[in-house]
């Protein structure tokens, strides 16, 4: 994670930060909803 942060800071690629944040959020949502009652609703998003 530190290498990625250094890359963003050095190369001034700040437009990548929201994309990476959204992907991380979707990954977290998918991982948390694997075994819960919310999983049928989460998978309709994808």
């Amino acid at each position: 994670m530190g290498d990625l942060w250094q890359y963003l800071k050095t190369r001034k690629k700040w437009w990548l930060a929201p994309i990476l944040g959204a992907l991380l959020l979707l990954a977290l949502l998918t991982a948390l909803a694997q075994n819960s009652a919310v999983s049928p609703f989460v998978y309709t998003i994808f």
Side-chain angles (χ1 to χ4, degrees):
M1 221 40 196
D3 291 333
L4 179 62
W5 182 251
Q6 280 298 108
Y7 174 77
L8 290 176
K9 213 163 75 170
T10 305
R11 302 279 195 257
K12 307 292 188 221
K13 303 278 186 193
W14 295 115
W15 57 271
L16 282 174
I19 297 170
L20 292 173
L23 287 174
L24 184 65
L25 183 66
L26 283 175
L28 184 65
L29 183 63
T30 304
L32 290 176
Q34 286 281 325
N35 296 321
S36 71
V38 184
S39 60
F41 303 109
V42 171
Y43 290 118
T44 58
I45 296 173
F46 302 114

